[in-house]
Amino acid sequence: MSRNVSINEMGDAIMEELEKYSKLATDDMKAAVKETAASVRKDIQAGAPVDTGKYKKSWSVKNMHEDSQSIDLVVHSRNRYQLAHLLEHGHVKRGGGRVPAQPHIASAEERGNEKLVNTIKQKLGGGS
């Protein structure tokens, strides 16, 4: 019977350690997402066209949802979102022709995705 108890105790100890690791990994992932979102915001701002500067300053990170297991952040233009699409993709002029696109969002998103993958690998001990 004592052998059963020690196996149960060992199983409990293993489960406790796995739960601790899971919490640490979740915290690391949340930190990586927050860090990446801030980086994407700065990257978009750095590449944003500047007229008055209001568009460039309008970019922020919004926390859409967070619980103990996940986080959902959105990088967006707070009050110039219509302009974001027009600048990124270009648009038709009233008198004909097109205004050329000034891409700055898609490239920042792509770099952010790469950064997030690399950060997660580093935090989980998977290398670069």
Side-chain angles (χ1 to χ4, degrees):
M1 197 73 159
S2 65
R3 181 178 174 144
N4 244 357
V5 171
S6 64
I7 289 173
N8 287 339
E9 289 173 351
M10 187 175 12
D12 290 345
I14 290 170
M15 286 306 298
E16 186 178 319
E17 291 304 312
L18 286 173
E19 287 172 8
K20 286 179 188 176
Y21 177 77
S22 174
K23 171 131 178 47
L24 288 173
T26 299
D27 291 346
D28 283 348
M29 296 311 97
K30 285 181 172 184
V33 169
K34 288 176 183 179
E35 180 183 311
T36 300
S39 173
V40 169
R41 180 188 58 80
K42 288 178 186 174
D43 200 5
I44 290 173
Q45 286 177 322
V50 178
D51 184 17
T52 64
K54 290 180 182 178
Y55 173 74
K56 188 176 198 168
K57 293 176 186 173
S58 73
W59 288 92
S60 68
V61 176
K62 182 176 181 180
N63 186 334
M64 301 299 286
H65 173 79
E66 182 173 2
D67 59 29
S68 63
Q69 298 297 313
S70 66
I71 187 167
D72 185 14
L73 302 178
V74 173
V75 179
H76 70 112
S77 176
R78 289 184 310 275
N79 52 7
R80 303 265 190 281
Y81 52 89
Q82 302 94 335
L83 186 56
H85 179 82
L86 295 175
L87 288 170
E88 184 75 6
H89 300 287
H91 58 90
V92 177
K93 293 181 180 180
R94 283 187 197 176
R98 287 194 63 81
V99 173
Q102 299 179 34
H104 57 290
I105 301 169
S107 57
E109 180 183 19
E110 186 177 311
R111 287 188 293 274
N113 288 337
E114 290 173 14
K115 177 183 173 69
L116 182 59
V117 168
N118 290 335
T119 302
I120 288 171
K121 284 180 182 178
Q122 287 175 343
K123 289 186 180 282
L124 292 179
S128 59

